[in-house]
């Protein structure tokens, strides 16, 4: 498989990239973003793209992919709805609409979040925007589209958040993850589980378009 990965420098993207590079059926991973991924591997190529809302200058390099994993996400903390919509909905759809035209046989998997609002009409701003993004992606002419909604995510194998507050928080929470797992077995995923699930969705799909943490775990087990 040839995979296009957005968000390889983020915590989730780092975990997804690791699983992609380990997978024997993955021939190439192109990490696209404003900065290089920072990783080095024979399968990996970086495509630095300063403008993540306009891909006309690099369209000749965006064809022939089997899957796209979109792992870019921003926090809505202290952000108004217009700005959050631009950085979430507009950014995702700018990439997805271009790729749907260039790669109609592609599987597109979007990393959303637990609580996303498919009705697009709830009171929580970020959930409405995420739900709208999921719904619009599902209407694009890809081979298949999935959105995954992980809740809490435990970083594995050295994956680190780019957000300073999260980098400080995760080491403090690490001893508590087993307890969270025991009390809420389907509320905590890992970067490893997410990466394996995305690969399996690209390979074989899943009956559900939107996957919660329980579904993510089930799909990841199929990849083992």
């Amino acid at each position: 498989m040839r995979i296009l990965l957005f968000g390889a420098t983020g915590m989730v993207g780092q975990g997804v990239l690791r699983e992609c590079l380990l997978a024997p059926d993955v021939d190439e991973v192109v990490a696209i973003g404003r900065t290089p991924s920072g990783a080095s591997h024979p399968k990996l190529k970086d495509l630095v793209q300063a403008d993540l809302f306009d891909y006309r200058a690099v369209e000749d390099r965006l064809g022939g992919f089997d899957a796209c994993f979109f792992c870019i996400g921003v926090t809505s903390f202290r952000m108004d709805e217009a700005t959050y919509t631009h950085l979430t909905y507009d950014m995702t759809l700018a990439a997805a609409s271009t790729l749907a035209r260039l790669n109609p046989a592609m599987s597109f998997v979007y990393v959303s979040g637990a609580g996303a609002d498919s009705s697009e009409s709830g009171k929580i701003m970020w959930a409405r925007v995420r739900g709208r993004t999921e719904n619009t992606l599902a209407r694009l002419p890809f081979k298949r589209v999935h959105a995954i909604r992980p809740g809490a995510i435990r970083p594995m194998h050295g994956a680190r958040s780019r957000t300073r507050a999260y980098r400080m928080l995760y080491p403090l929470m690490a001893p508590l993850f087993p307890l969270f797992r025991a009390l809420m077995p389907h509320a905590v995923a890992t970067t490893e589980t997410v990466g394996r699930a995305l690969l399996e969705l690209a390979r074989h799909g899943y009956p559900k378009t939107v996957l919660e943490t329980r579904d993510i775990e089930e799909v990841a087990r199929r990849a083992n």
Side-chain angles (χ1 to χ4, degrees):
M1 285 192 294
R2 294 186 71 228
I3 293 173
L4 188 63
L5 174 61
F6 287 78
T9 59
M11 185 186 77
V12 173
Q14 292 168 39
V16 172
L17 176 60
R18 178 183 184 273
E19 297 306 314
C20 289
L21 296 177
L22 289 173
D25 61 342
V26 173
D27 303 305
E28 182 182 52
V29 181
V30 175
I32 181 169
R34 293 191 178 102
T35 60
S37 65
S40 178
H41 192 279
K43 293 183 182 180
L44 176 64
K45 293 180 181 177
D46 282 302
L47 175 55
V48 177
Q49 171 67 7
D51 187 350
L52 296 181
F53 295 89
D54 187 344
Y55 296 91
R56 287 174 294 181
V58 293
E59 281 194 2
D60 61 333
R61 302 175 64 182
L62 297 179
F65 287 92
D66 301 292
C68 174
F69 301 150
F70 199 93
C71 304
I72 296 177
V74 297
T75 177
S76 62
F77 182 64
R78 293 182 177 176
M79 194 176 292
D80 61 77
E81 184 163 356
T83 303
Y84 186 72
T85 297
H86 185 58
L87 295 177
T88 300
Y89 179 89
D90 294 343
M91 181 183 291
T92 306
L93 269 296
S97 58
T98 299
L99 294 174
R101 175 167 49 83
L102 299 174
N103 302 274
M106 169 185 279
S107 296
F108 190 98
V109 187
Y110 173 60
V111 179
S112 185
D117 179 10
S118 298
S119 76
E120 306 180 33
S121 60
K123 295 182 179 180
I124 301 174
M125 179 272 284
W126 74 263
R128 292 196 305 271
V129 176
R130 286 282 193 173
R132 180 186 173 204
T133 305
E134 294 175 359
N135 292 341
T136 306
L137 287 172
R139 294 191 289 268
L140 292 179
F142 287 109
K143 175 182 178 181
R144 60 173 68 99
V145 176
H146 294 285
I148 69 166
R149 294 178 175 177
I153 299 178
R154 180 181 182 181
M156 302 285 288
H157 309 296
R160 298 175 74 242
S161 173
R162 298 183 68 183
T163 304
R164 183 173 180 271
Y166 291 166
R167 289 199 304 271
M168 297 173 63
L169 182 62
Y170 278 117
L172 298 175
M173 292 182 60
L176 300 177
F177 274 117
L179 176 60
F180 293 156
R181 182 79 175 174
L183 295 175
M184 299 175 290
H186 300 294
V188 180
T190 68
T191 51
E192 180 181 84
T193 298
V194 170
R196 292 181 178 179
L198 265 59
L199 283 165
E200 190 64 10
L201 289 171
R203 294 181 185 114
H204 304 298
Y206 191 70
K208 296 181 181 179
T209 301
V210 177
L211 290 76
E212 308 291 345
T213 299
R214 183 189 297 267
D215 305 307
I216 295 167
E217 293 176 333
E218 178 182 338
V219 174
R221 283 193 295 270
R222 296 181 182 183
N224 293 335

